[in-house]
Amino acid sequence: NLLESPEGLKLGGERRKITILTSDLRGFTATSERLQPEEVVKILNFYLECMADVITQYQGTIDEFMGDGILVLFGAPTQRKDDAERAVACAVAMQLAMEKVNTKMQEWGLLPLAMGIGINTGVVVVGNIGSEKRTKYGIVGNQVNLTYRIEGYTIGGQILISESTLKEVGSIAMVIGQKQVKPQGVKEPITIYQIGGISDPYNLVLPSKKEELKTLPQPIS
Amino acid sequence: NLLESPEGLKLGGERRKITILTSDLRGFTATSERLQPEEVVKILNFYLECMADVITQYQGTIDEFMGDGILVLFGAPTQRKDDAERAVACAVAMQLAMEKVNTKMQEWGLLPLAMGIGINTGVVVVGNIGSEKRTKYGIVGNQVNLTYRIEGYTIGGQILISESTLKEVGSIAMVIGQKQVKPQGVKEPITIYQIGGISDPYNLVLPSKKEELKTLPQPIS
């Protein structure tokens, strides 16, 4: 989206607080082994198109598609005050857009897909990274890896966010569960929060699913 | 490299046996937190440039740079009989090219970098994957994930390859160690092989390092 006009980006890289969103289709790689290759590509392209539309709407920067995975930046190249808010709102809208994806799956006679989303806010190095022939806007730092770890805790349909993102978003985030986890490479356990929606000015709510809450039995403190 | 002219690629995706190479700078993300952002980008760009040169020489297709990580395909878009051989030769040449990278690090007053490489051969779905505005040649399948897991077992300076790659390359691969591992998502333990070089027609040998062999104590059966 903004990859071609990196306004506000210092040449040579800078350290900056951004909100990182990663998503993937839970279990899709395994499923893809049983599908026709044309079906795999057809499904992915429909799904990625739907998600790209939503991400653009929330001014996220798509940094990467990796198979069914998506890496989205909020706050780079362009920083805005509501980066974390838009990231969470975007995640809820992405989950809501899965209805459209799954209507199409049904039309194609295929089983429904389920996406997991992890969100984290932190300081990373951003810059134009690559070789002479192949430079792209990239990010480096522990906070990137942590975002993938948080996403790894999701089951299909879930959005999990870190404490730092929750602090930025504040009370408009609708937290429907929390969990202590100890991701690889992190010294102390951290708390991650399951998001069920986001209120004013976004007013987006996920349909409640009992089975999702089962994995997060701790009450909100 | 070949991304712009995907000759031989069926529109809509196909299932194909390819050799996948993934590499990353072991521990670099953690190190990057202590460096100036300009230094992080300067280091990465020099390193990626050196590696891109080597990869091009061995006709590998760079599918992705992710921070310090590189995903390279041999056999897509264009399939050749010696895909697995070139992948292993490329890996050895990449490790040898780290000398140039580390000479530069020393010049810059920085600590040396160490790269790990994983290689695996298997059947994946390949195709043009993405949204309308952002399509790229991509791959999907369990074998991609397995390659990343194999790379995850490396320490700096090592090349680890799967049994399927070793079978393709045959006796020109110089195996200097082997190890049984049970990667996440794989039912039975698998054997991975540490590569010390590749003979005729490539004739590339890594300088031997005692500390590397310590981690692979089992003799070659």
Side-chain angles (χ1 to χ4, degrees):
Chain A
N1 307 16
L2 300 170
L3 289 178
E4 277 79 44
S5 60
E7 31 169 323
L9 170 72
K10 275 192 212 160
L11 264 178
E14 60 175 299
R15 199 156 254 134
R16 189 193 274 194
K17 186 164 83 173
I18 66 168
T19 295
I20 306 156
L21 180 157
T22 66
S23 67
D24 86 329
L25 292 176
R26 309 306 290 171
F28 182 74
T29 302
T31 306
S32 76
E33 301 285 340
R34 293 187 298 272
L35 296 170
Q36 292 300 312
E38 297 83 2
E39 270 180 330
V40 173
V41 173
K42 184 176 73 171
I43 293 167
L44 282 180
N45 287 353
F46 186 81
Y47 155 75
L48 292 171
E49 189 71 52
C50 289
M51 294 306 136
D53 282 347
V54 176
I55 294 161
T56 304
Q57 207 182 320
Y58 289 87
Q59 297 174 291
T61 302
I62 298 171
D63 196 53
E64 204 79 77
F65 292 141
M66 297 146 294
D68 56 290
I70 315 177
L71 168 61
V72 189
L73 316 179
F74 292 84
T78 306
Q79 208 154 21
R80 294 180 184 88
K81 273 189 185 170
D82 60 353
D83 285 330
E85 280 185 19
R86 279 183 295 108
V88 172
C90 181
V92 180
M94 285 168 74
Q95 289 293 9
L96 292 171
M98 287 303 288
E99 205 193 313
K100 185 182 166 188
V101 173
N102 283 327
T103 301
K104 185 61 86 176
M105 291 304 117
Q106 200 172 18
E107 205 182 298
W108 286 337
L110 297 165
L111 290 173
L113 304 172
M115 177 177 61
I117 300 178
I119 303 179
N120 176 36
T121 302
V123 174
V124 297
V125 171
V126 298
N128 288 311
I129 296 171
S131 63
E132 204 190 332
K133 285 184 195 158
R134 224 190 136 77
T135 305
K136 65 163 225 183
Y137 193 70
I139 57 172
V140 186
N142 290 330
Q143 298 298 328
V144 187
N145 302 356
L146 180 57
T147 314
Y148 282 110
R149 304 278 183 208
I150 292 171
E151 188 219 301
Y153 291 108
T154 60
I155 59 166
Q158 277 185 341
I159 300 164
L160 296 175
I161 73 171
S162 68
E163 186 128 32
S164 57
T165 302
L166 184 59
K167 268 187 192 157
E168 296 271 327
V169 179
S171 61
I172 64 167
M174 296 166 59
V175 175
I176 56 171
Q178 67 179 66
K179 198 177 184 174
Q180 277 230 327
V181 293
K182 203 184 160 306
Q184 201 190 317
V186 173
K187 278 174 198 165
E188 296 294 320
I190 60 165
T191 305
I192 54 177
Y193 301 87
Q194 186 184 352
I195 294 298
I198 184 164
S199 61
D200 223 24
Y202 303 98
N203 297 312
L204 297 166
V205 182
L206 296 181
S208 64
K209 284 177 194 165
K210 279 176 192 156
E211 64 276 22
E212 285 178 36
L213 292 171
K214 273 185 204 159
T215 64
L216 291 162
Q218 289 167 313
I220 301 161
S221 60
Chain B
N1 307 14
L2 300 170
L3 290 179
E4 277 79 44
S5 60
E7 32 168 323
L9 169 71
K10 273 191 210 161
L11 264 179
E14 61 174 298
R15 199 157 254 136
R16 191 192 274 194
K17 186 163 83 171
I18 66 168
T19 295
I20 306 156
L21 180 156
T22 66
S23 68
D24 86 330
L25 292 176
R26 308 308 288 172
F28 182 74
T29 301
T31 306
S32 76
E33 301 285 340
R34 293 187 298 273
L35 297 170
Q36 292 300 312
E38 297 82 1
E39 271 181 330
V40 173
V41 172
K42 184 176 74 171
I43 293 167
L44 282 180
N45 287 354
F46 186 82
Y47 155 75
L48 293 172
E49 189 71 50
C50 289
M51 295 306 136
D53 282 350
V54 175
I55 295 162
T56 303
Q57 207 184 318
Y58 288 88
Q59 297 174 293
T61 302
I62 299 172
D63 196 52
E64 204 77 77
F65 291 140
M66 298 144 295
D68 56 290
I70 315 177
L71 169 62
V72 189
L73 316 179
F74 292 84
T78 306
Q79 206 154 21
R80 294 179 182 88
K81 272 191 186 170
D82 60 354
D83 285 329
E85 280 185 20
R86 280 183 294 108
V88 171
C90 182
V92 180
M94 286 169 73
Q95 288 293 8
L96 292 172
M98 286 304 288
E99 204 192 314
K100 184 181 165 189
V101 173
N102 283 327
T103 301
K104 186 59 89 176
M105 291 303 115
Q106 201 172 15
E107 206 182 299
W108 286 338
L110 297 165
L111 290 172
L113 304 173
M115 177 177 61
I117 299 178
I119 303 179
N120 177 35
T121 302
V123 174
V124 297
V125 171
V126 298
N128 288 310
I129 296 171
S131 63
E132 203 189 330
K133 285 183 195 159
R134 222 189 135 76
T135 304
K136 65 164 226 183
Y137 193 69
I139 57 171
V140 186
N142 290 329
Q143 298 298 327
V144 187
N145 302 357
L146 180 57
T147 314
Y148 282 110
R149 304 277 182 209
I150 292 170
E151 187 219 302
Y153 291 109
T154 61
I155 59 166
Q158 276 186 342
I159 301 164
L160 296 176
I161 74 171
S162 69
E163 185 128 32
S164 56
T165 302
L166 183 60
K167 268 187 191 158
E168 296 272 326
V169 180
S171 61
I172 63 167
M174 295 166 59
V175 175
I176 55 171
Q178 68 179 65
K179 199 178 184 176
Q180 277 231 326
V181 294
K182 201 186 163 305
Q184 201 190 316
V186 173
K187 278 174 198 164
E188 296 293 321
I190 59 164
T191 305
I192 53 178
Y193 300 86
Q194 186 183 353
I195 295 298
I198 184 164
S199 60
D200 223 26
Y202 302 98
N203 296 313
L204 297 167
V205 182
L206 296 181
S208 63
K209 284 177 195 165
K210 278 175 193 159
E211 63 276 21
E212 285 178 37
L213 292 172
K214 273 185 204 158
T215 63
L216 290 162
Q218 290 168 313
I220 300 160
S221 59

